[in-house]
Amino acid sequence: MATAKSTSATSEDTAASEDSNTAEFTVAPRRTVHINGKDYGPTETVTLDADEGKYLRERGFFTEEDGTVSVSTSGPAVNQEDGVRKDEV
C-alpha cells in the first residue's frame, strides 16, 4: 500500500531476467520504495516489472524519462486563495 512518502512493491518478478518484461526506474525525490525486503531511496535505480513500475511512476514514486515527477490529479488541492479543498472528479 502506498503512503505519502513510501510504498511497497511485492512482485516476484522484480529480479531482472533476460526474458521478462522488466525495466529500470529511478526513485523520485522525497520518496522511498520497498521491494523484496529492501528500501530504495531518492535517485536510486530499481529494476521492476514494467507494468508495476508504470503504475508507481503514474503515482509519483518514480521519475519520468526526462527526470520530472508525475503528480496525480485526484486528491486535495492547496492554493493561497482557496486553502485546502477536495478536487471534483
Side-chain angles (χ1 to χ4, degrees):
M1 171 76 48
T3 62
K5 293 189 177 187
S6 66
T7 189
S8 293
T10 56
S11 172
E12 293 180 15
D13 299 324
T14 55
S17 91
E18 297 301 319
D19 59 331
S20 67
N21 184 25
T22 60
E24 287 189 344
F25 298 91
T26 302
V27 179
R30 298 181 307 277
R31 298 292 185 155
T32 301
V33 292
H34 185 80
I35 301 171
N36 292 337
K38 183 174 179 196
D39 289 335
Y40 297 89
T43 71
E44 289 189 276
T45 302
V46 298
T47 302
L48 193 62
D49 176 75
D51 292 333
E52 190 171 2
K54 181 181 173 194
Y55 174 85
L56 291 171
R57 177 181 279 158
E58 290 169 352
R59 281 142 188 86
F61 288 94
F62 295 134
T63 60
E64 297 289 340
E65 298 293 328
D66 63 1
T68 61
V69 178
S70 176
V71 179
S72 175
T73 58
S74 62
V78 179
N79 64 44
Q80 281 185 310
E81 296 81 28
D82 299 331
V84 177
R85 64 180 171 77
K86 176 88 172 133
D87 283 341
E88 298 295 323
V89 179

